Structures are given as structure tokens and as C-alpha cells.
Amino acid sequence: MKAHQPQHDVSLTVNGEPKTVRAYAMERLLDVLRNQLGLTGAKEGCGEGECGSCSVLVDDNLVNSCLMPVLQAQGTKIVTIEGLAQGSKLHTLQQAFLDCGGAQCGICTPGMILAAYHLLNRKPKPNPEEIRESLAGNLCRCTGYTQICEAVTEAAKRAS
Ligand code: FES
Ligand code: FES
């Protein structure tokens, strides 16, 4: 069926680099990031906007990329988990997740870290409730959330 649908060029900036992809209008941003751009950090969990494992930043908004048609991303600036580290140096949040045991199977981790990154960009010293609220759209089946919240607190402390 797709063979009869037109494809479109979509230009966007991903992790600071301009990219143009050719995609069907309703193709999901998640699939384009993973399959065309090789950015496999964003994960598909539910595929229905419920789990947050596919989270990316689109123009500084936290977005479930499984719900976003790529055509809507035309002209936007996207940040994925791959955009956080500086070369081999992990971002403070990534290091804190490692140090605090905030990642186990890792499926939720990129989305969790991006949700925390989004929070710390707006609020560098969040309180525990603000941390829990900011991560409320991201589900984790492994950690019980305590270590994740500790990791965000620790990252905020290290960054200050
Ligand atoms: S895979 Fe997108 S919200 Fe679950
Ligand atoms: S670490 Fe496994 S789902 Fe969160």
C-alpha cells in the first residue's frame, strides 16, 4: 500500500547536525530516527504513547517519538540520547544513572535520561517531587524508580 503513497523530503536538525530524510508523511519519527539515521537510542516500548521509552526532545519539548509523524518534525531541532555525551565523556546524567544503579535492562533509560535532561534544563535544582513529576510519563519495569530519582538528584548536585 505504501508504494502508492508519495514520499517527502523532511529537513531537520538532529543532535546539532542538519539532516534530510525521505519518508512517508505518516512515518513515525521513532522509525526514521532508528532506521534511517541509525539512532537506536530511542526505544519502542508500547508504541502507543504510554511508556516514554521513545522520548526525544523536539524544539526543547519532550515528545513520544512513536506518536509523532515525521512530517511534523520538519524544520525542528531534535535531541536524542546520542546527542548528550561529548565524545567518550558521558553526560552528567548518564554518569549518575550508571553510578546510582538507575539503569538495569536499559529499555527505559534513554527516555528517562532525556526527561531528566528536560527537567534540569528548566530547573537545575529540582526537589524530589518535581523529579518524580517530571518522570511520571516514563515507565520502568526494573528499578522501582528509587535509583532513578537518586540519579537525577545526584546529577543535579554534580552539575551545580
Ligand atoms: S514506545 Fe512511545 S510511548 Fe511507549
Ligand atoms: S531499566 Fe528496565 S525498564 Fe527501566
Side-chain angles (χ1 to χ4, degrees), residues 82 84-92 94-95 98:
E82 288 88 349
L84 264 56
Q86 302 272 318
S88 60
K89 186 172 170 11
L90 293 179
H91 186 276
T92 315
Q94 292 171 311
Q95 191 61 55
L98 264 183

Side-chain angles (χ1 to χ4, degrees), residues 21 23 27-38 70:
V21 295
E27 223 168 317
R28 305 181 308 172
L29 177 61
L30 174 64
D31 296 325
V32 172
L33 290 172
R34 291 180 58 87
N35 302 336
Q36 288 203 43
L37 299 177
V70 68

Side-chain angles (χ1 to χ4, degrees), residues 34-108:
R34 291 180 58 87
N35 302 336
Q36 288 203 43
L37 299 177
L39 298 169
T40 55
K43 301 284 185 280
E44 174 149 18
C46 65
E48 297 178 346
E50 299 290 337
C51 74
S53 66
C54 62
S55 301
V56 298
L57 295 184
V58 179
D59 285 342
D60 294 327
N61 297 304
L62 194 66
V63 164
N64 289 325
S65 63
C66 72
L67 293 184
M68 186 171 197
V70 68
L71 212 55
Q72 276 184 15
Q74 167 71 36
T76 60
K77 289 191 173 67
I78 294 182
V79 176
T80 70
I81 191 70
E82 288 88 349
L84 264 56
Q86 302 272 318
S88 60
K89 186 172 170 11
L90 293 179
H91 186 276
T92 315
L93 272 164
Q94 292 171 311
Q95 191 61 55
F97 268 67
L98 264 183
D99 296 343
C100 297
Q104 288 184 25
C105 81
I107 294 286
C108 74

Side-chain angles (χ1 to χ4, degrees), residues 43 97-110 112-113 139-148 151:
K43 301 284 185 280
F97 268 67
L98 264 183
D99 296 343
C100 297
Q104 288 184 25
C105 81
I107 294 286
C108 74
T109 311
M112 285 286 183
I113 290 180
L139 305 184
C140 176
R141 288 168 176 252
C142 307
T143 66
Y145 301 100
T146 304
Q147 297 99 314
I148 289 174

